Amino acid sequence: MEKKIFKTKIGFVPSNWDAWNGDNWAEGMRDRCVEVLKQIPGLELVVPSKEMTDIGCVSTVEEAKKVAQFFKEQDVKGILIGNMTFGMEVAVGTFLNYTSKEIPILHFATKSGPINNTGNRLTDTWCGQFMVASSIKRRGFKFVHINTCNPEDQYFKDKIEVFTRACCAISRFVGLKIGMLGTRPQLFESQQFSEQAMQHKFRQMVVPMDLDTVLTRLENVDVKHPEVQRIMHEMTKGIDIAENVPGDIEKIAKAEYGYLQIAKELDVDALAVNCWTRVQERIGVSICSVSGRLNDQGLVTACEVDILGSVTMHAINCAGLNMTAPHFIDWADLHPTQDNVWLAWHCGNGPQSICAKDCKPKLQKNERLMQWCPTCFGALEFRYMPGPVSCARLVEYDAEFSMFIGSGEVVNIGPYIRGTYGWVKVNDVMDWEHKMIETGIIHHGGLIHDAKVADALEWFCYFLDIKATRGK
């Protein structure tokens, strides 16, 4: 399933002071920055042209007003303010006076031009950055600063990519609409959430549909519909299929199409679905593999009507630029013999794209649900592909939001586990446990095969006033 990378408009303000623009250093440095910024994944660059402002930089109050209006028209979701030379704090301040304080800002300074043979300094960029940064801080803007560097440095590229990913997640997180399909399990009290707090803090909306209506919609899908036939063909490619009742594949395909249509009808960007046991009793299959396929298609779907779980997954997916499917997991257990290794697991809802190459996925009955309901065919079981991962979970207590964030690596070790799973090695799993308990993290989380997501989520939390805690 082809996924489209999320692009985010980021505005670039190249700050210059003509009196410190020796040998027209600012224009060349501005062009070098632009060249690099255009190559950052997910970054759609918005920058004043050389026709809009002199040499394409912001050096005067009038130029600052022009650029602020330009950025408003372009609806930029993040702003880079860079000292090309000493910079002009009054121009930057004027630009900010016309800019929303909700927009994330990154400030940086480039390295100064050379000192000539007569001892004259061309730019004094390092000095000027303090004035420009104070102009941002003085006006009450939240911003991050990265250390002085040149645009070609890997450090610069990495930090700009992290910022871009954070802006991508923020811009799609604020105002998010989540489809709540059914109610949470009666015994899962920890999945409570405050819709009022979500609306007040993030302008998010939970859009409910009762389970009976959901299941009726799934039952009424026409199996002969071309899209259902396409799904049936796609979902059985490259997998083993365990013994199942005739018609089960059709029921699973109908469910996938039905959920896609419900999401479109409700106009939501993410789902939290009731997945046991009434679902199995009514439509005769489990929808675990459906959740995995929806995540592979970019429709974030969390199990067991975990609203904040779905919200977490959406943030993870956007911080990953929609390029790698996230997995809705249980922080299931510690490894029986290996230190600092824990089990990321769920019952068969993993997106097939993260399956290990040497492991063939198997569609079969849900190992956990068999004890309650025999009609539970539909779990896709496999082992994760190895490699770096980021993990996270958002929680809320007393209208205060916190997020636990961790980085690790999926390692190819036993023992074999039923379901969709991976053994994750981290630096200090007891540090994770302590911080997760302290933060109030529940049994569900999100995992993505993308090491850069964790760093992006830290800045995401900073700008949204979410308390971030990072595991070692």
Side-chain angles (χ1 to χ4, degrees), residues 92-302:
V92 170
T94 300
F95 165 81
L96 294 172
N97 290 344
Y98 292 90
T99 300
S100 168
K101 288 186 178 179
E102 291 188 357
I103 299 179
I105 293 175
L106 180 144
H107 172 260
F108 68 95
T110 54
K111 291 186 177 178
S112 291
I115 300 171
N116 64 25
N117 293 333
T118 60
N120 295 117
R121 305 186 311 279
L122 299 181
T123 60
D124 269 10
T125 310
W126 198 71
C127 182
Q129 71 165 333
F130 300 113
M131 297 179 73
V132 169
S134 74
S135 181
I136 304 170
K137 187 175 181 65
R138 196 179 309 118
R139 286 167 172 79
F141 282 81
K142 274 202 164 189
F143 72 101
V144 292
H145 169 79
I146 63 173
N147 291 334
T148 299
C149 58
N150 277 329
E152 297 82 10
D153 295 345
Q154 191 60 46
Y155 168 80
F156 177 81
K157 297 174 185 177
D158 289 344
K159 292 297 185 182
I160 298 298
E161 183 174 353
V162 169
F163 181 73
T164 301
R165 287 165 170 260
C167 291
C168 178
I170 292 165
S171 64
R172 290 166 171 82
F173 187 85
V174 175
L176 173 67
K177 293 173 71 176
I178 311 102
M180 183 175 79
L181 307 188
T183 56
R184 64 171 173 82
Q186 184 181 19
L187 301 181
F188 285 17
E189 180 188 275
S190 57
Q191 289 177 195
Q192 293 176 350
F193 66 98
S194 169
E195 190 171 353
Q196 181 183 12
M198 294 167 68
Q199 289 175 345
H200 181 75
K201 182 86 171 175
F202 307 121
R203 301 197 291 274
Q204 294 176 340
M205 289 182 64
V206 176
V207 186
M209 181 180 282
D210 69 87
L211 186 59
D212 181 66
T213 300
V214 171
L215 297 178
T216 300
R217 296 285 182 87
L218 304 189
E219 289 168 335
N220 290 340
V221 169
D222 184 0
V223 73
K224 296 179 182 178
H225 192 287
E227 280 300 294
V228 176
Q229 293 296 310
R230 178 191 62 78
I231 292 167
M232 286 172 57
H233 175 71
E234 268 188 10
M235 63 176 280
T236 54
K237 286 197 302 187
I239 67 171
D240 284 337
I241 301 176
E243 184 178 348
N244 64 293
V245 176
D248 281 355
I249 300 298
E250 289 89 341
K251 291 174 184 175
I252 294 170
K254 285 173 60 175
E256 178 178 330
Y257 180 73
Y259 283 120
L260 287 167
Q261 294 306 111
I262 289 170
K264 189 180 295 185
E265 176 188 333
L266 298 181
D267 188 29
V268 295
D269 305 298
L271 295 175
V273 301
N274 181 301
C275 53
W276 55 273
T277 56
R278 187 62 181 140
V279 173
Q280 290 74 26
E281 293 165 351
R282 275 281 298 272
I283 68 172
V285 290
S286 286
I287 58 165
C288 308
S289 59
V290 173
S291 293
R293 282 181 51 81
L294 293 177
N295 280 308
D296 251 337
Q297 294 170 67
L299 177 57
V300 166
T301 305

Side-chain angles (χ1 to χ4, degrees), residues 10 67 77 219 355 397 435 438 465:
I10 306 292
V67 173
K77 302 301 184 183
E219 289 168 335
C355 178
Y397 293 91
K435 289 174 177 174
E438 198 171 58
D465 226 5

